[in-house]
Amino acid sequence: MSSTTHGAAEVLVASNRGPVSYAVDDTGGIAAKRGGGGLVSALSVVEDKLWVCSALSEGDREAVRRGVTEPGVRMLDIDAGVHTDAYNGIANSVLWFVHHMLYQTPLEPSFGPEFRRQWASYEAYNRAFAEALAEEAAPGATVVVQDYHLTLVPGMLRELRGDLRIGHFSHTPWAPVDYFRMLPDDIAEQVLRGMLGADRCAFLTRRWADAFTDCCTHLVGGTSGTRIGVHGLGADADFLRERAHRDDVEERLAALRAQIGADRKVIVRVDRTELSKNIVRGLRAYELLLESSPEWRERVVHVAFAYPSRQDLAVYRDYTDEVQRVADAINSRFATESWTPVVLHVKDDFARSLAAYRIADVALVNPIRDGMNLVAKEVPVVSDEGCVLVLSREAGAYEELAEDALTVNPYDVSGTSRALAEALAMPQDERAERTKRLAAAATALPPGAWFLEQLEALRQD
């Protein structure tokens, strides 16, 4: 590629989902909606950047075809079938399952011709990103590639543009080598070599970084000069505290308090119905608490927000249904005329989540495996009276928060139940002190600083 074809962007970000989405409105026009996720707020600290992302919906694709765009965003109109294969077939049904160790191995995975067909789409999808980045980047520009959707991009981009500074950041856990090599040998090698095309690969915790290094050592002979880094994404305290006291949150707070009833303790969980979040075992632990400690009946309510995730995959639909079924069974077994043991909401509502954070006496965060888990960091920041964090040792947040949390083995329902009982009985002064320390640790590297730290590290030689 000659220098005359180089773009002008000095900082580029690549991710599957971008900061904006489009829909065709009733008049046939294109309406834009800005995203509000953690990555969007983190990257907003660098104004002069180009964000390369994929068109995810028909509205997005139509916007690209009509030339509708936002400043600083390039959306790729990748064939819908190719995107579905790459995103659902490979990224979410293979790589996510490997890194979160979710397979029921007597039956799955089974890597046959259909997998190979979908893998070819994953390659094509990654190549589309690499080519767009190569086209848009100024000489010597800095490119930060995000997550498991785009593991092949660094290597592909390196071949196209050897002058660029390339980073890759993984927001998921990384599988231990014995689990990672469940992938076909050539695919495992392709993923690792793709990521090692970066100057620097970074992770949320040292544990995940070490697991990646271990995989490289055993499967491709080392990290080939690629530097490995750790950046523990924290909560945005200023934003959360301000947002948690707006009128819509106050309204939902009043509604929740009315639903819970006066003078009752509150155990809160807020999650997507993602298989790794372990919602069903959390409900089982609460059920066991009511069974084994009857003194808590009518004195505690479990507020469980389980927002549907990836409902285009059957296994996720089934899991969401099971969450609802178990919650209903607990209520059927224990509810009285004046007390509903489980208050379950499955419709996403950020203001209601913040209201729940504020009134939580106990926050239950018990994932099977999680890259970080920002809920564990957000609740102590927003809590009105202080809360006890019951935290899985398999969450990335454990590395920073373990000292002031009650930690649990996510598979041990009895142990989790005992931890809930201990949390509910904790004296107020101890609870408040723990919450202060948790909030300080949780906000040590807020989103903007997290991204700037990566850029700085990538530019250092």
Side-chain angles (χ1 to χ4, degrees):
M1 184 178 287
S2 69
S3 61
T4 56
T5 63
H6 292 171
E10 295 287 351
V11 175
L12 301 93
V13 174
S15 64
N16 175 68
R17 183 180 299 278
V20 64
S21 60
Y22 298 97
V24 180
D25 63 25
D26 294 340
T27 67
I30 298 287
K33 180 183 177 185
R34 298 291 297 183
L39 196 58
V40 175
S41 66
L43 272 53
S44 66
V45 295
V46 178
E47 291 185 11
D48 187 18
K49 66 179 179 296
L50 180 70
W51 195 323
V52 178
C53 57
S54 180
L56 301 183
S57 66
E58 276 310 309
D60 288 350
R61 292 187 184 92
E62 186 60 25
V64 176
R65 289 172 200 137
R66 294 190 199 178
V68 176
T69 187
E70 302 282 306
V73 178
R74 178 170 171 184
M75 189 174 277
L76 306 179
D77 183 13
I78 297 168
D79 176 83
V82 170
H83 184 271
T84 297
D85 284 345
Y87 181 70
N88 280 333
I90 299 298
N92 288 342
S93 295
V94 176
L95 298 180
W96 180 274
F97 271 61
V98 168
H99 289 315
H100 291 83
M101 300 168 65
L102 292 175
Y103 281 121
Q104 298 181 43
T105 52
L107 298 174
E108 56 186 13
S110 183
F111 296 125
E114 177 63 6
F115 165 77
R116 292 288 172 171
R117 185 191 69 75
Q118 292 181 324
W119 184 259
S121 292
Y122 183 78
E123 291 174 317
Y125 160 83
N126 275 250
R127 194 170 298 111
F129 272 86
E131 289 171 354
L133 292 164
E135 185 181 312
E136 298 285 358
T142 301
V143 182
V144 185
V145 180
Q146 302 292 318
D147 232 355
Y148 61 102
H149 313 95
L150 301 175
T151 61
L152 307 183
V153 167
M156 291 174 170
L157 182 56
R158 176 68 63 208
E159 289 182 7
L160 295 171
R161 292 287 303 275
D163 61 303
L164 301 179
R165 298 249 176 173
I166 305 170
H168 186 282
F169 193 89
S170 294
H171 294 263
T172 65
W174 193 270
V177 64
D178 285 348
Y179 206 91
F180 185 75
R181 63 196 312 171
M182 194 182 291
L183 291 168
D185 292 354
D186 61 317
I187 301 298
E189 181 174 347
Q190 198 177 343
V191 168
L192 295 175
R193 292 201 186 281
M195 289 176 64
L196 292 175
D199 296 284
R200 193 169 184 274
C201 289
F203 300 84
L204 287 164
T205 73
R206 175 53 55 191
R207 180 181 177 187
W208 312 141
D210 289 348
F212 174 75
T213 301
D214 202 25
C215 285
C216 291
T217 300
H218 283 83
L219 303 183
V220 296
T223 55
S224 306
T226 296
R227 290 174 290 133
I228 309 299
V230 174
H231 306 279
L233 175 62
D236 186 340
D238 293 341
F239 164 74
L240 286 168
R241 286 176 179 142
E242 184 277 324
R243 182 67 184 86
H245 288 84
R246 290 188 200 167
D247 289 346
D248 59 345
V249 178
E250 297 291 352
E251 289 170 14
R252 285 158 179 77
L253 193 63
L256 272 176
R257 283 189 169 131
Q259 201 170 8
I260 290 162
D263 302 321
R264 287 187 173 127
K265 296 273 193 179
V266 184
I267 299 171
V268 167
R269 86 169 305 134
V270 177
D271 277 312
R272 291 173 296 113
T273 53
E274 160 56 54
L275 307 181
S276 63
K277 298 298 184 182
N278 207 23
I279 300 167
V280 171
R281 287 193 190 88
L283 288 166
R284 295 289 188 205
Y286 176 65
E287 181 179 34
L288 185 57
L289 171 76
L290 299 179
E291 185 181 288
S292 58
S293 302
E295 67 274 15
W296 281 113
R297 294 177 196 174
E298 302 208 53
R299 292 178 54 216
V300 63
V301 171
H302 186 12
V303 174
F305 296 164
Y307 301 140
S309 173
R310 298 178 186 166
Q311 294 299 289
D312 44 353
L313 298 177
V315 66
Y316 281 83
R317 292 195 299 273
D318 292 346
Y319 188 73
T320 303
D321 291 345
E322 179 67 3
V323 168
Q324 183 73 61
R325 192 191 68 75
V326 173
D328 289 346
I330 295 169
N331 284 337
S332 176
R333 181 179 175 191
F334 291 105
T336 65
E337 196 172 311
S338 61
W339 172 59
T340 304
V342 180
V343 172
L344 177 69
H345 285 286
V346 295
K347 188 172 185 300
D348 198 349
D349 185 332
F350 183 54
R352 188 174 57 207
S353 297
L354 290 172
Y357 288 179
R358 284 181 56 186
I359 61 172
D361 295 293
V362 179
L364 176 58
V365 180
N366 68 320
I368 292 168
R369 201 166 162 83
D370 216 333
M372 176 55 72
N373 196 297
L374 282 178
V375 171
K377 292 186 166 186
E378 291 168 352
V379 180
V381 172
V382 173
S383 170
D384 283 349
E385 302 292 333
C387 72
V388 184
L389 177 62
V390 176
L391 179 64
S392 166
R393 66 190 186 196
E394 299 303 315
Y398 172 83
E399 200 162 291
E400 298 165 74
L401 306 182
E403 197 173 325
D404 288 296
L406 300 182
T407 60
V408 294
N409 171 348
Y411 300 96
D412 184 353
V413 172
S414 296
T416 304
S417 183
R418 288 192 298 272
L420 290 176
E422 182 182 347
L424 288 168
M426 187 176 288
Q428 175 60 35
D429 56 346
E430 182 183 351
R431 191 172 87 174
E433 284 302 313
R434 283 179 182 244
T435 303
K436 278 184 200 167
R437 293 192 296 267
L438 286 168
T443 55
L445 193 63
W450 167 83
F451 185 58
L452 291 174
E453 189 179 88
Q454 288 179 65
L455 287 181
E456 181 62 28
L458 190 51
R459 287 163 175 164
Q460 291 171 354
D461 212 36

